Amino acid sequence: FFYSGPFINDLLLDGDRLVVVVGGYGNAMRAAPGAEQPILYDYNGARIVIYDISALDSTGTITQLFSEDINGSYNSMRAIGSNLHIVTMSGLDTYTHLVAPFERWNYPNLTDEEYIAQVQEAAEGKVITKFVE
């Protein structure tokens, strides 16, 4: 687990608005060990911050107008007309949510038949349903 802290991925200046894409939050935003883990890797992995820089020349100040965490690691950003398009990438943690609950070592005292029955019940019940919700 490596966490270097937030870093600037990209900047976009449009008139008096400065858009900053900040990365480095992905692993820091994941649940603590033992807590339920999000299905997405890089959960809230990027932050979009918009600043008003209209007073920068006169007062030397900028004002934050907007900030939002988004899922995924930052890939690219483009302005097309008045619309900003931000592309991120995320992976799915299928092991924690779809494989680990069915591992044979989780059922050490069951016969093979009992194990199969319990795993099938769990799969049809909450495990797969929870994953796709």
Side-chain angles (χ1 to χ4, degrees):
F1 172 88
F2 176 76
Y3 175 65
S4 64
F7 53 87
I8 295 174
N9 283 115
D10 211 344
L11 301 168
L12 178 77
L13 182 61
D14 183 25
D16 290 337
R17 300 290 189 259
L18 175 64
V19 179
V20 182
V21 180
V22 183
Y25 294 103
N27 286 324
M29 301 296 276
R30 290 184 66 81
E36 185 173 341
Q37 296 292 321
I39 290 174
L40 290 177
Y41 287 119
D42 292 315
Y43 179 76
N44 284 340
R47 181 171 291 162
I48 309 304
V49 185
I50 301 176
Y51 295 97
D52 179 347
I53 62 166
S54 60
L56 187 59
D57 290 337
S58 60
T59 66
T61 61
I62 62 174
T63 305
Q64 182 177 319
L65 301 175
F66 176 83
S67 177
E68 184 169 327
D69 294 325
I70 59 174
N71 293 327
S73 60
Y74 173 78
N75 183 272
S76 64
M77 171 171 59
R78 300 285 183 273
I80 301 174
S82 62
N83 294 312
L84 181 62
H85 301 270
I86 299 171
V87 178
T88 63
M89 296 183 297
S90 293
L92 293 176
D93 181 0
T94 55
Y95 178 79
T96 300
H97 300 279
L98 288 178
V99 177
F102 306 122
E103 293 281 12
R104 182 66 170 104
W105 55 264
N106 287 320
Y107 306 88
N109 298 321
L110 298 180
T111 65
D112 286 344
E113 292 78 20
E114 292 170 330
Y115 161 72
I116 291 168
Q118 286 220 359
V119 165
Q120 185 173 9
E121 183 180 329
E124 292 171 351
K126 64 181 180 179
V127 173
I128 293 176
T129 302
K130 186 175 179 183
F131 183 78
V132 298
E133 286 180 342

